[in-house]
Amino acid sequence: MTPSRPKIYFIRHGETDWNLEGRLQGQKDIPLNDVGRVQAEEAARKLEALVPHFEDLAYVASPMTRTRETMEILRTTLGLHPEVYRLDDRLVELTFGTWEGMTWKEVRKAEPALAALREQDKWHYAPPGGGESYAMLVDRIRPILDDLTRDTVIVAHGGVARAFLSICCGVSSRQAASMDIWQGRILVIEGRSYRWV
């Protein structure tokens, strides 16, 4: 019998002004706004209620400002040293290429044919200018799972959460590409199942 994978407590970074405006952030390094900082505190309180010995978990974050800020607020709220966690470059959000900084409305207006192609197959479509598809992101994320040795808090991005749901839980690519990934909540991935707290 194969040993079960460690449990993942996935936390999407808190809100940024670009989230609020509906802009595609991708790999643009946008900081949290005030709502985002409160969401990081809310996630910490949920984790504290969920895991009695939260200090024994591993903590890993995407190296982007919004994820590091979320992690450090989370750890401070839990009474842990804010900067004792690991960064993993593989957890950065997928890039939207030349579309970064635009809203979907602006993308559809500027490049209607390309926007329509993406709508037909969100999972496999890579935006122009070096953009990544979710399928490409899955290839980047998959090796991280082999590195997990104990139950882990991961602070990363919406696209990364969709990749984890696809890899770990068998969520179909069509469903995963369209799922809401909540800020201020915890996505608990245990074995092949997941739930939001």
Side-chain angles (χ1 to χ4, degrees):
M1 189 171 143
T2 55
S4 61
R5 186 188 307 116
K7 200 180 293 187
I8 296 170
Y9 300 95
F10 188 98
I11 297 168
R12 183 184 174 195
H13 63 80
E15 186 184 84
T16 69
D17 285 345
W18 277 26
N19 286 144
L20 190 59
E21 295 162 12
R23 298 196 177 282
L24 300 174
Q25 286 180 124
Q27 294 181 8
K28 291 281 191 266
D29 214 6
I30 312 301
L32 298 183
N33 60 23
D34 289 342
V35 170
R37 286 187 275 276
V38 170
Q39 288 170 332
E41 292 172 358
E42 288 170 354
R45 283 190 280 277
K46 287 176 178 160
L47 185 66
E48 187 174 22
L50 198 59
V51 185
H53 296 287
F54 55 80
E55 67 278 3
D56 295 335
L57 300 170
Y59 289 79
V60 186
S62 155
M64 305 197 77
T65 299
R66 58 190 182 267
T67 42
R68 284 188 289 112
E69 210 178 336
T70 300
M71 178 66 91
E72 288 167 21
I73 292 168
L74 173 100
R75 288 183 59 85
T76 299
T77 305
L78 291 170
L80 301 173
H81 190 292
E83 294 174 14
V84 180
Y85 62 94
R86 192 165 58 79
L87 295 175
D88 192 320
D89 291 340
R90 296 171 295 182
L91 288 170
V92 296
E93 181 61 294
L94 53 75
T95 174
F96 288 99
T98 54
W99 292 353
E100 289 190 1
M102 299 169 77
T103 63
W104 281 120
K105 186 178 178 183
E106 290 166 346
V107 169
R108 284 191 287 270
K109 187 175 177 185
E111 304 193 78
L114 295 182
L117 281 176
R118 184 181 186 274
E119 285 306 309
Q120 286 169 22
D121 187 2
K122 279 185 184 176
W123 196 257
H124 295 99
Y125 182 80
E132 284 179 289
S133 67
Y134 287 115
M136 293 160 74
L137 180 62
V138 160
D139 291 339
R140 170 153 57 85
I141 295 298
R142 192 182 304 276
I144 293 171
L145 296 170
D146 297 329
D147 296 343
L148 300 181
T149 57
R150 58 191 165 125
D151 293 354
T152 302
V153 174
I154 293 177
V155 178
H157 309 270
V160 175
R162 293 182 180 98
F164 273 115
L165 287 166
S166 168
I167 300 165
C168 301
C169 306
V171 175
S172 73
S173 56
R174 182 171 291 279
Q175 184 186 355
S178 304
M179 288 177 81
D180 287 324
I181 306 297
W182 307 104
Q183 291 165 312
R185 294 177 67 184
I186 299 174
L187 173 61
V188 182
I189 298 174
E190 187 171 10
R192 299 282 290 167
S193 66
Y194 70 92
R195 62 192 167 100
W196 284 98
V197 177

